[in-house]
């Protein structure tokens, strides 16, 4: 639909990471874009990042002012094949990485606005 929109604006990208920090906080080399004799080995994932999270006080757009709200970055875990050149016996492994996956609107309490205050 043309009128369809999300509560919090975000940017979506499809990435093929080459390096990333795993869930244990260690930098890893991710196996990607490796030519094989029949195809190219690639690991692609979808990421979605909030565009309003830099300002912590900005409410979710399109909501009435009687609701306290803010946009929150949500993330999910992805598993990638990684290469560790320092591990002689097991240089390849599958490790977990936390990546941004969506943008959500967190609603707070409903506040009745008094007409006399305005």
């Amino acid at each position: 639909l043309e009128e369809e929109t999300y509560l919090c604006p975000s940017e979506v990208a499809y990435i093929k990471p080459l390096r990333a920090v795993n869930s244990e906080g260690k930098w890893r080399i991710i196996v990607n874009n490796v030519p094989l004799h029949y195809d190219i080995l690639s690991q692609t994932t979808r990421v979605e990042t909030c565009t309003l999270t830099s300002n912590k006080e900005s409410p979710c757009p399109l909501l009435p002012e009687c609701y306290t709200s803010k946009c929150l970055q949500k993330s999910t875990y992805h598993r990638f094949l990684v290469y560790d050149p320092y591990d002689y016996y097991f240089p390849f492994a599958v490790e977990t990485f936390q990546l941004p996956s969506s943008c959500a609107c967190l609603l707070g309490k409903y506040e009745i606005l008094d007409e006399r205050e305005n």
Side-chain angles (χ1 to χ4, degrees):
L1 299 174
E2 292 180 13
E3 300 90 25
E4 183 177 328
T5 184
Y6 294 100
L7 287 179
C8 291
S10 62
E11 294 179 356
V12 176
Y14 291 88
I15 61 169
K16 295 179 182 181
L18 298 175
R19 293 177 192 86
V21 178
N22 67 6
S23 58
E24 297 175 359
K26 299 178 181 177
W27 279 97
R28 293 294 185 224
I29 299 171
I30 298 175
V31 178
N32 227 332
N33 300 328
V34 177
L36 302 173
H37 67 281
Y38 58 90
D39 204 358
I40 294 178
L41 173 67
S42 66
Q43 300 180 86
T44 305
T45 189
R46 179 188 183 274
V47 294
E48 181 177 345
T49 54
C50 291
T51 56
L52 285 182
T53 56
S54 61
N55 185 359
K56 300 292 183 190
E57 300 301 320
S58 63
C60 300
L62 305 176
L63 286 180
E65 292 181 12
C66 57
Y67 291 101
T68 56
S69 64
K70 65 179 176 179
C71 293
L72 290 177
Q73 180 67 58
K74 298 291 187 170
S75 58
T76 187
Y77 290 96
H78 295 268
R79 295 171 59 91
F80 293 115
L81 177 66
V82 299
Y83 173 70
D84 186 0
Y86 300 109
D87 191 343
Y88 181 76
Y89 295 104
F90 299 107
F92 294 98
V94 175
E95 295 189 8
T96 306
F97 298 84
Q98 188 175 8
L99 298 174
S101 62
S102 64
C103 190
C105 181
L106 176 67
L107 287 177
K109 61 183 179 179
Y110 176 80
E111 296 178 4
I112 299 175
L113 298 176
D114 190 0
E115 292 295 328
R116 291 173 283 174
E117 292 178 3
N118 292 335

